[in-house]
């Protein structure tokens, strides 16, 4: 089968391939969790140096998401998916054949570069699927984030307990190769819109600013939060990002269109995404430690890594199961309502968890409630983003949204680790987190959910004119399509492809939107304006 001419497949197959790829990519985040305590001895390195196996993947993932999104919008999303999966396979094989620190770190960087699959894949759904199928497909692919993370921990723990640790990476390579073959064979190749030059200085500036921000966030506990290195990197990141933003506002074809990013629906969705990512990752860090705390503490449940992973696995399945529920809520009441419900359920889960900490089944209940909220919220965020940006910038905008979630998870990791490491009791030669420490982490996560709820309330509804002359409030898929912000803004592709410098949409506002995934001649979406 030619890589450039895949055979035509139905919407279900396209969705399945992208969702499976999302599961495999998200699996990389929890792949090495069971071997973290063993990394210094496995790689003959200090604990601080070995922690770069985790940090390198996190930094690579944060940097690549907006860049991969922009490349997808310019040169074709299928090409970016293929390149991302090639990086995943190469990185996995490198780790699988290595026993030294440096090659494993390089391999983990390559695995992190595959994270662009998720925002680019979500955007590809908008380009290739019939409009009625987009909402459900986006929700399903969004849920793949949780599914990969949920199944990754017990799967990795089972492998480590019964085989050599290199098998983890051979498995990752095999799964990556499977996804790569499916993408090449089955996914369509929509025509690329690239006619402008890629913003290389913008990519370098954003990468430098993000590394300067996230590196001290992840390593501050080791370096000291008030150390010169930590504070210096924070200060440098602020300067670099301010300079980057000034440059992006002046360049003709920016890596990230900040004028679109600061639109109220996009801005507040991204800010809420930071808080949702924070609250979600608090569960991933806190609940396993509570499950594995020694029973001698009086509150610990004394579970193995494998059993702790199995206890959290139902949460990932709930995320997948609730994705169609989120789609129905969005279709009926709008994506803003879905996000409100999701964030509220996350907060409820932690509130319930404060009273359910004594048995394994109680931890499972907490994880299921929080995961259910995350599933609903994660499905709503791409819908809100895609409603508010031009079709030519969906991958880039989704990449920025994924970056916001990464900033939330990174911050959550640092905050939760700081709380649990400072609220400890001595048990023999070791120090373990106290019960109050776990309760404080629940409270902080509840606070994050509350702030996320307030930010979601700030996302404006839009007033849409329906097809029969009436008006109604809406905030779901399509509500913002065709809005004045979109119709008055000429896309970069249209600007450069037209010899007169004016897009056909600007010349004839009533014409069908040729950039939309609808077939030629399909009427454009109803006009909408933000309620002010």
């Amino acid at each position: 089968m030619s890589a450039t001419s895949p055979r035509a497949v139905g919407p279900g197959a396209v969705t399945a391939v992208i969702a499976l790829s999302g599961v495999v990519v998200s699996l990389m985040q929890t792949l090495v969790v069971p071997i973290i305590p063993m990394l210094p001895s496995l790689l003959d390195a200090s604990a601080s140096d070995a922690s770069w196996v985790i940090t390198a993947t996190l930094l690579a993932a944060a940097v690549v998401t907006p860049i991969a999104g922009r490349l997808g919008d310019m040169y074709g999303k299928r090409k970016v998916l293929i390149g991302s999966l090639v990086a995943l396979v190469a990185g996995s094989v490198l780790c699988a054949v290595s026993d030294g620190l440096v090659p494993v770190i390089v391999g983990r960087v390559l695995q992190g570069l595959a994270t662009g699959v998720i925002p680019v894949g979500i955007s590809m759904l908008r380009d290739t699927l019939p409009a009625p199928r987009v909402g459900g497909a986006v929700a399903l692919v969004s849920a793949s984030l949780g599914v990969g993370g949920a199944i990754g921990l017990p799967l990795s723990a089972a492998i480590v307990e019964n085989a050599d640790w290199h098998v983890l990476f051979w498995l990752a390579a095999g799964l990556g190769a499977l996804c790569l073959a499916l993408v090449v064979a089955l996914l369509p190749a929509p025509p690329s819109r690239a006619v402008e030059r890629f913003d290389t200085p913008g990519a370098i500036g954003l990468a430098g600013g993000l590394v300067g921000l996230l590196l001290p966030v992840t390593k501050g506990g080791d370096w000291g939060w008030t150390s010169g290195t930590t504070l210096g990197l924070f200060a440098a990141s602020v300067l670099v990002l301010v300079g980057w933003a000034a440059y992006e506002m002046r360049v003709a074809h920016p890596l990230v269109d900040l004028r679109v990013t600061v639109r109220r629906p996009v801005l507040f969705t991204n800010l809420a995404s930071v808080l949702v990512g924070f609250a979600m990752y608090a569960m991933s860090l806190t609940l396993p430690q509570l499950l594995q705390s020694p029973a001698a503490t009086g509150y610990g449940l004394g579970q193995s890594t494998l059993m702790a992973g199995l206890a959290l696995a139902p949460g990932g399945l709930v995320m997948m199961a609730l994705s169609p529920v989120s789609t129905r809520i969005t279709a009926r009441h709008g994506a803003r309502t879905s996000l409100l419900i999701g964030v509220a359920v996350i907060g409820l889960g932690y509130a319930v968890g404060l009273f359910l900490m004594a048995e394994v089944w109680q931890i499972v209940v907490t994880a299921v409630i929080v995961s259910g909220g995350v599933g609903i919220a994660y499905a709503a965020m791409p819908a809100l983003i895609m409603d508010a940006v031009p079709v030519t910038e969906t991958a880039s905008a989704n990449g920025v949204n994924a970056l916001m979630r990464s900033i939330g998870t990174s911050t959550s990791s640092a905050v939760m680790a700081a709380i649990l490491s400072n609220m400890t009791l001595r048990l023999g030669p070791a120090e373990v987190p106290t019960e109050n420490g776990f309760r404080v982490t629940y409270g902080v996560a509840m606070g994050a959910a509350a702030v996320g709820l307030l930010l979601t309330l700030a996302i404006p509804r839009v007033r849409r004119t329906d097809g029969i002359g009436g008006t109604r409030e809406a905030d779901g898929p399509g509500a913002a399509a065709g809005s004045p912000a979109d119709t008055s803004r000429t896309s970069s592709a249209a600007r450069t492809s037209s010899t007169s410098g004016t897009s056909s949409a600007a010349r004839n506002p009533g014409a069908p939107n040729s950039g939309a995934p609808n077939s030629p001649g399909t009427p454009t979406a109803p006009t909408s304006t933000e309620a002010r």
Side-chain angles (χ1 to χ4, degrees):
M1 185 68 63
S2 171
T4 58
S5 303
R7 65 184 183 86
V9 296
V14 171
T15 303
V17 170
I18 294 176
L20 177 61
S21 300
V23 169
V24 172
V25 168
S26 61
L27 183 67
M28 299 305 106
Q29 302 299 321
T30 54
L31 185 71
V32 298
V33 169
I35 63 172
I36 287 176
M38 299 180 283
L39 284 174
S41 59
L42 293 175
L43 301 177
D44 192 23
S46 67
S48 178
D49 289 342
S51 68
W52 281 99
V53 173
I54 309 296
T55 304
T57 307
L58 173 68
L59 294 177
V63 169
V64 79
T65 46
I67 295 175
R70 183 60 178 156
L71 290 172
D73 284 331
M74 291 178 62
Y75 301 112
K77 299 175 179 66
R78 180 172 175 269
K79 294 178 181 177
V80 174
L81 291 179
I82 291 173
S84 299
L85 291 170
V86 167
L88 188 152
V89 174
S92 300
V93 171
L94 179 58
C95 292
V97 299
S98 302
D99 291 302
L101 179 64
V102 172
V104 170
I105 290 175
V106 173
R108 290 287 289 166
V109 168
L110 291 172
Q111 287 184 325
L113 294 179
T115 308
V117 162
I118 296 170
V120 173
I122 288 174
S123 302
M124 190 175 187
L125 297 173
R126 185 185 189 184
D127 292 348
T128 58
L129 267 58
R133 301 287 295 271
V134 172
V138 167
L140 183 65
V141 174
S142 298
S144 70
L145 287 165
V147 175
I151 67 175
L153 186 57
L155 178 62
S156 300
I159 291 174
V160 170
E161 288 186 5
N162 296 281
D164 181 74
W165 65 276
H166 292 92
V167 175
L168 291 172
F169 295 103
W170 285 119
L171 174 65
L175 292 173
L178 172 63
C179 292
L180 177 61
L182 291 173
V183 168
V184 170
L186 300 180
L187 291 194
S192 61
R193 304 184 178 95
V195 284
E196 70 265 20
R197 181 179 300 176
F198 179 71
D199 180 17
T200 301
I204 295 173
L206 180 60
L210 289 175
V211 170
L213 173 66
L214 294 177
L215 187 56
V217 167
T218 56
K219 302 291 286 184
D222 294 332
W223 296 343
W225 292 106
T226 59
S227 70
T229 302
T230 300
L231 296 179
L233 282 171
F234 276 134
S237 71
V238 171
L239 293 175
V240 170
L241 290 175
V242 168
W244 169 80
Y247 172 81
E248 292 294 281
M249 294 295 289
R250 295 195 308 269
V251 71
H253 304 292
L255 175 74
V256 177
D257 191 335
L258 295 180
R259 293 178 179 84
V260 173
T261 304
V262 297
R263 290 181 188 172
R264 191 174 164 191
V266 180
L267 175 63
F268 282 99
T269 299
N270 283 334
L271 292 176
S273 298
V274 175
L275 278 300
V276 173
F278 184 102
M280 182 274 292
Y281 208 62
M283 172 188 66
S284 302
L285 290 171
T286 302
L287 298 190
Q289 291 193 58
L290 180 57
L291 285 164
Q292 295 177 74
S293 292
T297 60
Y299 57 85
L301 300 174
Q303 301 297 308
S304 67
T305 302
L306 176 58
M307 292 306 298
L310 290 173
L312 299 181
L317 301 179
V318 168
M319 287 184 67
M320 183 69 76
L322 287 181
S323 61
V325 175
S326 179
T327 303
R328 288 194 290 270
I329 295 172
T330 297
R332 186 174 180 86
H333 302 290
R336 176 178 177 271
T337 300
S338 294
L339 184 55
L340 282 170
I341 292 173
V343 176
V345 171
I346 293 172
L348 175 64
Y350 284 112
V352 169
L354 287 172
F355 304 96
L356 298 177
M357 300 177 68
E359 302 287 344
V360 173
W361 69 265
Q362 295 177 350
I363 304 300
V364 173
V365 169
T366 299
V368 164
I369 296 174
V370 173
S371 297
V374 171
I376 296 172
Y378 268 33
M381 289 185 287
L384 283 165
I385 293 295
M386 289 192 292
D387 286 345
V389 303
V391 69
T392 54
E393 297 185 15
T394 53
S396 177
N398 273 318
V400 173
N401 184 250
L403 169 62
M404 294 299 104
R405 294 198 299 268
S406 295
I407 291 174
T409 57
S410 301
T411 307
S412 178
S413 174
V415 171
M416 298 303 156
I419 292 171
L420 294 178
S421 63
N422 284 284
M423 300 183 70
T424 61
L425 59 85
R426 182 164 293 279
L427 187 67
E431 289 189 349
V432 296
T434 64
E435 184 177 15
N436 283 337
F438 288 112
R439 293 187 184 278
V440 169
T441 62
Y442 280 33
V444 171
M446 286 173 58
V451 176
L453 200 63
L454 294 175
L455 291 170
T456 303
L457 288 171
I459 298 172
R461 289 179 176 272
V462 292
R463 180 172 290 277
R464 182 173 70 188
T465 303
D466 63 24
I468 55 176
T471 61
R472 66 184 179 90
E473 294 293 328
D475 53 42
S483 65
D486 285 343
T487 55
S488 65
R489 181 185 184 278
T490 307
S491 70
S492 58
R495 285 197 305 268
T496 50
S497 63
S498 172
T499 56
S500 64
T502 307
S503 70
S504 60
R507 290 194 302 269
N508 182 11
N513 181 4
S514 61
N518 300 331
S519 58
T522 302
T524 56
T527 301
S528 63
T529 58
E530 291 184 7
R532 302 189 183 277

